[in-house]
């Protein structure tokens, strides 16, 4: 950043309001100087002159110059933004962005740029946005200047700080100035104050700045202070990292809970090893895809409601398929768990191939509604809305199912059949229909799990296979048929997985979790929360 550019930016801050606009004729005159620039130094001076106008319109030609897309026409030295297409160059007005026709490559010349000039342009664009009317833009500019400190920007930042009225933005500007001070030859006292201010910011940006300063600074109080603050920041980041892993584990656990909760019912009540459970999840995800496709073509305004529409449909589709499977296959195999495993595995292959035939083998796009897009941060913790809503949704499904099991007559019948099937039948409970409706319920819940998983995973015929083994691990670890065990098991395994992954990797981490579960089952064969009942304990 040269002195001419610094002077221009100071004029912008001290002479007028943020976001002021220069006369278009003046801007065109300055932009036209690029055509007659003799060297990179004179081009950089023109960049500083443009930035000094404080007009947002100059961002377009500066960005084009940085990308190597700024041209001038040889016949009249008019400057344009160009895009090459074969032997022609499509021309665009550098200030308005309007199309300005085409020219042959031989009729125009590209304005040359090197790495040093690109850095000057980048800094100019960063400082230029300090004059925006929008506090968010000024905040982003301060963040950019913090990450790329430049001692020559200190005067510009001082001017911006003096005019800033938003407290949070002013703090970021002061932190950016502190970063520039560390890169300068200012006094030790100034650098000690800058180190203290950057350390209060915390985070990886502050760590990077202080680490770079400590590595290059001579021995003395500033380097010692930076080294001490680096230790404090590392300790703080370790705590934030642990908290982030816990959140990631809860997020993974909510996914496992959704995938396993239906299996906990069917496996616990019926003793059926349902290898087609993952395909029920897959059917729910494809139901979401179909609903969104219909909405996109017929009623785009309803897209934000697509998941609400897909939830009951996915429950009915997966539940209906589950009912057909139970009535057509499973009911002939009760009491023979290994045969139910083989039969449902065959059903899973049939369902996968059916979906491949209808929808194709490739991944299908399922969009996020606006209320599930984006994210936010709390301190050093990063949250995404889709994951947060899935955690809330999984808990809502869990408590709704718990209510059905504990507070309805049908739930009472299901628990009676689980505890003692023969006694339940002798009391008049139609155990075959309890089995059928239980299997349909478990499949339906897997279907609505597929709606949620479509927001964070690829929708493909193999979607369910990614979760079936993990679902069985959750059910066995938590206690077969126990919903609270499934909840605790899902979140426990999710958190343990996320703490193991950084050290062992994703694959080895899952293997270690499986080994730990096997060792745990040796001590507690019925899992964390074993069901009680004479038939179960026999």
């Amino acid at each position: 950043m040269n002195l001419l550019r610094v002077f221009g930016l100071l004029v912008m801050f001290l002479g007028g309001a943020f976001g002021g606009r220069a006369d278009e004729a003046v801007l065109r005159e300055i932009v036209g100087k690029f055509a007659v620039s003799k060297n990179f130094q004179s081009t950089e001076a023109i960049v500083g002159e443009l930035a000094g106008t404080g007009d947002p319109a100059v961002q377009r030609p500066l960005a084009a110059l940085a990308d190597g897309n700024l041209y001038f026409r040889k016949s009249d030295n008019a400057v344009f933004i160009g895009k090459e297409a074969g032997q022609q160059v499509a021309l665009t007005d550098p200030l308005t962005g309007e199309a300005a026709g085409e020219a042959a490559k031989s009729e125009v010349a590209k304005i040359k740029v090197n790495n040093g000039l690109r850095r000057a342009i980048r800094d100019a664009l960063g400082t230029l946005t300090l004059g925006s009317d929008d506090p968010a833009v000024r905040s982003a500019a301060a963040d950019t200047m913090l990450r790329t400190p430049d001692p020559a920007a200190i005067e510009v930042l001082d001017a911006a700080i003096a005019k800033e009225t938003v407290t949070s933005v002013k703090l970021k500007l002061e932190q950016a100035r502190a970063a520039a001070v560390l890169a300068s030859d200012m006094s030790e006292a100034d650098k000690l104050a800058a180190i203290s201010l950057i350390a209060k910011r915390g985070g990886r940006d502050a760590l990077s700045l202080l680490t770079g300063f400590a590595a290059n600074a001579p021995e003395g109080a500033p380097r010692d202070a930076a080294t001490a603050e680096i230790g404090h920041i590392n300790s703080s980041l370790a705590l934030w990292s642990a908290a982030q892993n816990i959140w990631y584990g809860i997020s993974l656990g909510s996914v496992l809970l959704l995938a396993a909760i239906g299996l906990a019912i069917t496996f616990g009540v019926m003793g059926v090893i349902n290898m087609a459970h993952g395909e029920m999840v897959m059917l729910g995800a494809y139901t979401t895809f179909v609903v969104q496709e219909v909405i996109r073509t017929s009623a785009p305004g309803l897209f934000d409601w697509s998941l609400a529409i897909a939830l009951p449909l996915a429950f009915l589709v997966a539940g209906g398929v589950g009912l057909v499977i139970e009535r057509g296959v499973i009911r002939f195999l009760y009491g023979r768990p290994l045969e139910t495993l083989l039969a449902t595995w065959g059903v899973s292959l049939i369902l996968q191939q059916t979906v491949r035939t209808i929808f194709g083998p490739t991944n299908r796009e399922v969009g996020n509604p606006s209320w599930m897009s984006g994210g936010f941060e709390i301190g050093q913790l990063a949250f995404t809305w889709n994951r947060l809503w899935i955690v809330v949704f999984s808990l809502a499904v869990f408590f709704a199912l718990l209510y059905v099991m504990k507070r309805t007559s049908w739930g009472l019948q299901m628990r009676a059949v689980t505890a003692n099937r023969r006694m339940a039948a002798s009391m008049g409970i139609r155990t075959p229909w309890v089995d059928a409706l239980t299997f349909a319920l478990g499949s339906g819940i897997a279907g609505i799990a597929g709606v949620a998983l479509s927001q964070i995973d690829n929708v493909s015929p193999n979607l369910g296979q990614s979760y079936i083994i993990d679902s069985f691990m959750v059910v066995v670890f938590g206690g077969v048929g126990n919903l609270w065990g499934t909840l605790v098991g899902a979140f426990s395994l999710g958190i343990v997985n996320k703490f193991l992954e950084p050290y062992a990797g994703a694959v080895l981490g899952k293997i270690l979790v499986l080994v730990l579960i096997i060792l745990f089952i040796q001590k507690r064969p019925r899992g964390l929360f074993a069901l009680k009942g004479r038939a179960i304990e026999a």
Side-chain angles (χ1 to χ4, degrees):
M1 185 183 289
N2 57 32
L3 291 176
L4 177 60
R5 181 163 152 250
V6 173
F7 177 74
L9 289 169
L10 282 171
V11 170
M12 176 184 74
F13 283 113
L14 298 176
F18 283 122
R21 299 190 64 88
D23 184 80
E24 185 175 333
V26 174
L27 293 180
R28 291 194 182 279
E29 181 181 350
I30 300 173
V31 171
K33 293 179 182 180
F34 283 123
V36 295
S37 176
K38 301 298 183 182
N39 50 48
F40 293 127
Q41 287 75 22
S42 61
T43 302
E44 185 172 348
I46 299 167
V47 169
E49 193 175 352
L50 273 178
T53 65
D55 195 310
V58 305
Q59 295 181 49
R60 184 178 284 110
L62 289 179
L65 178 61
D67 293 336
N69 295 326
L70 202 63
Y71 294 76
F72 69 90
R73 192 160 51 201
K74 296 176 181 178
S75 61
D76 57 1
N77 284 340
V79 176
F80 299 94
I81 297 173
K83 183 177 181 181
E84 295 185 5
Q87 295 302 312
Q88 296 293 113
V89 179
L91 303 178
T92 303
D93 187 284
L95 295 176
T96 65
E98 297 176 354
E102 291 185 344
K105 278 187 177 182
S106 59
E107 296 175 353
V108 296
K110 184 180 292 189
I111 299 170
K112 295 181 180 179
V113 62
N114 64 4
N115 288 336
L117 186 54
R118 286 191 182 93
R119 283 193 294 271
I121 296 168
R122 178 200 63 200
D123 293 338
L125 289 171
T127 53
L128 184 64
T129 51
L130 290 176
S132 171
D133 289 327
D134 187 350
V137 175
R138 300 198 300 275
S139 176
D143 286 335
T144 300
M145 297 182 75
L146 175 82
R147 289 190 290 269
T148 57
D150 186 346
I154 292 176
E155 293 179 71
V156 176
L157 286 165
D158 284 338
I161 291 168
K163 280 189 168 289
E164 186 57 63
T165 58
V166 180
T167 303
S168 59
V169 178
K170 188 171 186 176
L171 177 60
K172 287 189 175 184
L173 289 170
E174 291 171 345
Q175 291 166 347
R177 183 189 183 279
V181 168
L182 291 184
S184 71
D185 56 359
M186 295 178 70
S187 67
E188 283 194 358
D190 290 325
K191 291 187 177 181
L192 287 171
I195 290 168
S196 176
L197 185 58
I198 291 173
K200 289 178 182 177
R201 175 187 176 95
R204 301 201 176 276
D205 287 340
L207 180 64
S208 176
L209 286 169
L210 295 178
T211 301
F213 173 78
N216 299 313
E219 290 187 8
R223 190 172 79 171
D224 294 341
T227 302
E229 294 295 354
I230 288 170
H232 296 152
I233 293 175
N234 277 325
S235 299
S236 174
L237 286 177
L239 293 176
W240 282 111
S241 178
Q244 187 74 70
N245 280 335
I246 291 173
W247 164 246
Y248 286 152
I250 291 172
S251 176
L252 175 61
S254 67
V255 172
L256 295 178
L257 177 63
L258 280 175
I261 194 168
L263 191 64
I265 301 172
T266 56
F267 195 20
V269 173
M270 306 165 63
V272 173
I273 303 176
N274 181 18
M275 295 301 292
H277 185 77
E279 278 55 53
M280 302 300 107
V281 175
M282 179 257 299
L283 290 177
Y286 272 99
T287 302
T288 310
F289 165 72
V290 172
V291 168
Q292 288 197 351
E293 285 299 296
V294 172
I295 288 177
R296 282 191 180 104
T297 55
S298 304
L302 293 176
F303 188 80
D304 278 351
W305 293 91
S306 59
L307 297 188
I309 296 171
L311 280 174
L313 292 177
F315 181 86
L316 292 174
V317 169
V321 172
L323 184 62
V324 171
I325 293 172
E326 198 282 334
R327 290 288 85 190
V329 179
I330 301 298
R331 71 188 181 105
F332 301 108
L333 301 175
Y334 287 128
R336 293 178 284 177
L338 292 181
E339 292 184 28
T340 62
L341 184 152
L342 292 173
T344 53
W345 180 58
V347 170
S348 75
L349 296 179
I350 292 170
L351 290 173
Q352 287 182 47
Q353 191 56 48
T354 302
V355 168
R356 283 192 183 93
T357 303
I358 297 173
F359 297 101
T362 57
N363 294 342
R364 291 293 182 171
E365 179 186 359
V366 174
N368 293 115
S370 60
W371 49 275
M372 288 190 73
S373 303
F376 61 96
E377 292 185 359
I378 299 177
Q380 299 296 317
L381 289 179
F383 298 87
T384 55
W385 283 112
N386 58 353
R387 290 279 184 175
L388 185 60
W389 279 115
I390 287 174
V391 171
V392 173
F393 177 69
S394 65
L395 292 175
V397 171
F398 171 81
F399 285 110
L401 187 58
L402 196 65
Y403 177 83
V404 170
M405 295 286 287
K406 301 294 186 182
R407 293 288 185 267
T408 66
S409 60
W410 183 43
L412 179 62
Q413 292 180 26
M414 289 172 59
R415 287 185 288 127
V417 172
T418 302
N420 193 320
R421 179 178 293 272
R422 290 183 178 179
M423 182 63 73
S426 67
M427 297 296 291
I429 296 175
R430 301 176 63 186
T431 56
W433 277 108
V434 170
D435 289 334
L437 293 178
T438 300
F439 198 90
L441 176 64
S443 300
I445 292 172
I448 62 176
V451 177
L453 294 180
S454 70
Q455 300 298 296
I456 59 173
D457 208 341
N458 295 322
V459 177
S460 71
N462 299 319
L463 172 65
Q465 296 300 305
S466 305
Y467 297 98
I468 185 65
I469 301 301
D470 289 339
S471 297
F472 274 109
M473 284 199 299
V474 167
V475 171
V476 173
F477 175 64
V480 175
N482 190 301
L483 293 184
W484 284 108
T486 303
L487 176 72
V488 174
F491 285 114
S492 299
L493 294 183
I495 292 172
V496 169
N497 237 318
K498 288 303 175 181
F499 272 97
L500 287 176
E501 279 182 9
Y503 306 100
V507 176
L508 185 57
K510 281 196 173 184
I511 293 173
L512 289 174
V513 169
L514 179 59
V515 171
L516 291 173
I517 290 176
I518 292 172
L519 294 175
F520 177 81
I521 295 301
Q522 298 301 310
K523 296 293 184 182
R524 291 181 65 92
R526 294 183 186 145
L528 280 174
F529 301 95
L531 289 176
K532 296 186 181 296
R534 282 192 292 262
I536 294 170
E537 294 169 356

